[in-house]
Amino acid sequence: MSVINSSAQLDRYCVFGNPIQHSKSPAIHAMFASQTGQTLEYSARLAPLDSFVPSVQQFIAEGGKGANVTVPFKLEAYALANHLSERAAIAGAVNTLTFSDGVIVGDNTDGVGLVRDITENAKTAIVGRRILLLGAGGAARGALLPLLAQQPASLTIANRTISKAEDLVQLAHATKTYRGEIEAKTWQDLNGSFDVIINATSASLQSEVPPIPYTVFADTSFAYDMMYSDGQTSFNRYAEQAGARTRDGLGMLLEQAAEAFFIWRGVRPQTAPLFAHFRTKGSV
Ligand code: ATR
């Protein structure tokens, strides 16, 4: 299901991606709209790999009010936006576009979605804690500013390619708002344990786990995999064996969508009923 009501007068939104047929965003936004009494239409649009910008322009010409952007177009959406939020500028990627009076505003709601899921839904504090972020690609970069805004005691970024972790450390220094410690590490360099360990690598997609030592997990550690699946992710299985509490990225998916909905409609939907729905129904 992708359309709530087919009337031409409805405010129209969509998600662009390639592939896009398995996107949960149309169902999520339809549920948000019905829950908040908002009347809108939200569809999934397949943009050809070489035609993201024309696809967006076409949607604007059709009266589109806003769009989510997913793999592989978040960098192109960043380049397309005429105006960027600070968190999108730092992320270097855009997942939420708003079209108004000829201006394309780009935002990134992924990082705030992650932080909200950890701190509010999983009731796990980041402030004052030792955080380990695994990965230094787009997902890690998107999480950087919202994580630092929580003022953890320290942020360690570990990645297979150390230079990319070092780039993120430089970016963090440039924000000048973070007062704690920040460092880049290779997997082999990691020592000591961490309070919150976030997997932002795409290793779980290949059922792999970054080669981190068991010792980074303490009995009280909270491990978060940004990936989600019907079953347990490979990272979360590893973290649980090491004694950690775990959570996957279903809540982050819902929270980033809720933040986009809020940007567009000025109303914040509840994610808990959707979490229960998708977890029970599976196939998220
Ligand atoms: P995304 O947008 O999902 O972050 P990305 O920008 O391609 O995708 O970044 C993928 C991240 O997962 C990178 O940190 C990558 O490590 P490199 O920077 O060394 O490439 C990491 N990654 C991917 N597959 C991995 C694996 N099998 N083991 C460990 N890290 C992996």
Side-chain angles (χ1 to χ4, degrees), residues 71 74 134-141 158-162 164-165 187 199-206 208-211 227:
V71 177
K74 291 184 186 181
L134 306 171
R141 192 172 156 140
N159 195 41
R160 187 169 59 184
T161 311
I162 182 75
K164 285 167 70 180
W187 309 135
N199 182 25
T201 74
S202 47
S204 289
L205 284 178
Q206 303 115 40
E208 290 178 5
V209 178
M227 299 281 157

Side-chain angles (χ1 to χ4, degrees), residues 1 8 34 37-38 59 63 71 79 102 125 132-133 141 153 178 187-188 199-200 202 209 229 242 272:
M1 180 191 62
S34 114
Q38 296 276 310
F59 185 60
V71 177
L132 173 60
L133 181 63
R141 192 172 156 140
Y178 178 53
W187 309 135
Q188 296 77 25
N199 182 25
S202 47
V209 178
S229 74

Side-chain angles (χ1 to χ4, degrees), residues 16-19 46-57 60 67-84 88 91-99 104-108 138 141:
F16 287 105
N18 188 331
L46 180 74
L49 289 175
D50 61 353
S51 303
F52 171 69
V53 171
S55 300
V56 174
Q57 283 162 344
I60 295 172
N68 286 128
V69 181
T70 187
V71 177
F73 299 122
K74 291 184 186 181
L75 299 184
E76 283 183 73
Y78 169 84
L80 177 66
N82 312 118
H83 178 82
L84 291 168
V94 158
N95 79 333
T96 303
L97 293 168
T98 305
F99 314 123
I104 301 177
V105 180
D107 204 338
N108 189 314
R141 192 172 156 140

Side-chain angles (χ1 to χ4, degrees), residues 1 33 40 65 78-79 93 149 154 157 172 175 215 263 282:
M1 180 191 62
L40 53 83
K65 300 273 185 202
Y78 169 84
S154 65
I157 304 172
T175 66
T215 48
I263 289 168

Side-chain angles (χ1 to χ4, degrees), residues 1 39 56 58 78 81 88 105 112 114 124 133 140 142 149 154 181 183 213 227 231 243 276-277:
M1 180 191 62
T39 311
V56 174
Q58 167 75 26
Y78 169 84
V105 180
V112 77
L114 167 75
T124 300
L133 181 63
S154 65
E181 288 172 36
E183 59 181 0
M227 299 281 157
H277 171 86

